[in-house]
Amino acid sequence: MLKLFFVFIGGGMGSLFRYLISQLPILEKSLFPIKTLCINMIGCFLIGLLLAFIEKRIITNDELRLLLITGFCGGFTTFSTFANESKLLISSGHWLISISYIILSILLGISFVFAGKQMAGHIL
């Protein structure tokens, strides 16, 4: 039951941070969903860092791992928003923007996980 509490708290914190970032007045008029892309890339980078900390045994506590990775990163990043924004772009005839968004999200996301792990490797 305690593990569920840590996931719940981390998820709430991640969702709150995602909401706050989405409210920043950045590129409000752009069709390209830059805020969601940035939020997801930050989350991917953070997961890479945290995974490196776990591999190097800096994070050994299971509850902390659940709080940070499953909870915070899971609540912070948003696949459903990414999918909905892609669908909306396609439905409104913005195919090129949608395809660019999908490809960038996938390729950059994987790259940011690797980058996070690499950076942690240099720090540790």
Side-chain angles (χ1 to χ4, degrees), residues 79-121:
F79 188 77
S80 58
T81 301
F82 157 73
N84 184 53
E85 289 170 342
S86 298
K87 180 206 72 77
L88 290 172
L89 287 167
I90 291 168
S91 297
S92 62
H94 299 286
W95 284 91
L96 184 58
I97 294 172
S98 179
I99 290 168
S100 299
Y101 179 47
I102 292 167
I103 291 170
L104 277 173
S105 293
I106 293 168
L107 294 178
L108 287 177
I110 293 167
S111 298
F112 272 71
V113 172
F114 278 110
K117 286 190 78 176
Q118 279 294 113
M119 179 173 274

Side-chain angles (χ1 to χ4, degrees), residues 4-5 7 11 23 43 49 74 83 95 97 117 120:
L4 294 175
F5 175 75
V7 172
Q23 297 304 301
L49 281 173
W95 284 91
I97 294 172
K117 286 190 78 176

Side-chain angles (χ1 to χ4, degrees), residues 58-70:
I58 292 169
I59 296 176
T60 58
N61 183 294
D62 194 39
E63 285 82 8
L64 184 58
R65 182 188 58 79
L66 288 170
L67 178 104
L68 295 173
I69 294 178
T70 306

